[in-house]
Amino acid sequence: MKTEQQYFEESMSMADYMNQMTTHLKDPSFKVYENFQVNPEDEVFQLLKEQKPHILAITEDWCGDAMLNNPVIRKIAEAADLDIRCAFRDQDTDLIDRHLTNGGRAIPIYLFLSKQGEVIGKWGPRAPELQQMVTEMRTTLPEKDDPTFEEKQKQLYTSLQEKYVQDPQCAKWVYEDMKTVITNLLSK
């Protein structure tokens, strides 16, 4: 069984990952990346620069949450001069199966690795405010056995992805939650 460090070593950089994206989410992902800025004065950057964790993203380019979160964590990694790499969830499910969210293979998941390659923490798949928004939106869907369920769910995901790109607050929620989790993780 491969270690998280081995997955990290075998994976592509986040920049290469974003450049090779092939789905309709590539352009929106780059819009988030171009429009979002970190504050390099934030406390988290001092901790990141001192401890230099590696970040392994478990992701896929069809995922709307990854479309929003990957550009944010990429900006964090770039500002702290950290190596961030991407492993495809569906290519080898052994990795994601070690890091399930409520029993599911939710993505993206960001694993923070020590210099020795051990997992010291993780973040994902959503900021709490976005999870609440998604949960509330899902309450408007018909029952799964309803013939319109799939169409309505697709519409919901499309409107959610549009909001992620158009509303800068979404990326700010991700950034604030990532900062909190990383600061708590690295301050131990």
Side-chain angles (χ1 to χ4, degrees), residues 2 7 10-12 20 58-60 62 86-96 105:
K2 285 197 288 192
Y7 279 103
E10 295 171 4
S11 297
M12 70 176 68
Q20 65 81 51
I58 307 171
T59 189
E60 287 289 343
W62 48 257
C86 298
F88 292 94
R89 180 194 79 171
D90 299 340
Q91 209 168 46
D92 180 349
T93 56
D94 181 54
L95 178 61
I96 191 65
R105 293 176 174 165

Side-chain angles (χ1 to χ4, degrees), residues 118-162:
E118 296 170 4
V119 176
I120 56 174
K122 70 179 182 177
W123 186 94
R126 283 189 191 111
E129 298 88 348
L130 293 174
Q131 182 60 50
Q132 181 179 346
M133 186 172 70
V134 169
T135 300
E136 289 170 6
M137 290 174 79
R138 283 187 180 148
T139 65
T140 67
L141 290 174
E143 295 297 319
K144 286 189 177 183
D145 60 357
D146 185 300
T148 65
F149 175 80
E150 283 189 33
E151 179 186 330
K152 298 283 186 192
Q153 181 174 259
K154 187 176 179 183
Q155 290 170 354
L156 182 143
Y157 290 147
T158 299
S159 67
L160 193 59
Q161 290 163 5
E162 289 169 359

Side-chain angles (χ1 to χ4, degrees), residues 9-73:
E9 291 167 3
E10 295 171 4
S11 297
M12 70 176 68
S13 72
M14 177 66 79
D16 288 345
Y17 166 83
M18 286 179 65
N19 285 329
Q20 65 81 51
M21 288 175 69
T22 58
T23 69
H24 67 287
L25 297 179
K26 181 176 184 174
D27 288 341
S29 191
F30 272 98
K31 282 183 184 152
V32 172
Y33 179 75
E34 291 158 7
N35 293 324
F36 180 74
Q37 299 300 320
V38 299
N39 180 357
E41 302 300 314
D42 286 342
E43 174 191 8
V44 71
F45 291 103
Q46 185 64 34
L47 290 166
L48 287 168
K49 288 176 183 178
E50 287 170 4
Q51 298 187 34
K52 291 274 188 213
H54 288 156
I55 306 169
L56 178 60
I58 307 171
T59 189
E60 287 289 343
D61 70 359
W62 48 257
C63 175
D65 288 308
M67 175 205 71
L68 173 64
N69 299 340
N70 285 346
V72 174
I73 194 122

Side-chain angles (χ1 to χ4, degrees), residues 76-129:
I76 291 170
E78 288 171 349
D81 196 27
L82 299 179
D83 199 355
I84 181 169
R85 302 205 186 157
C86 298
F88 292 94
R89 180 194 79 171
D90 299 340
Q91 209 168 46
D92 180 349
T93 56
D94 181 54
L95 178 61
I96 191 65
D97 286 347
R98 293 183 220 165
H99 302 283
L100 299 176
T101 303
N102 299 323
R105 293 176 174 165
I107 54 173
I109 296 293
Y110 304 103
L111 303 176
F112 296 88
L113 308 177
S114 68
K115 290 178 182 167
Q116 295 76 31
E118 296 170 4
V119 176
I120 56 174
K122 70 179 182 177
W123 186 94
R126 283 189 191 111
E129 298 88 348

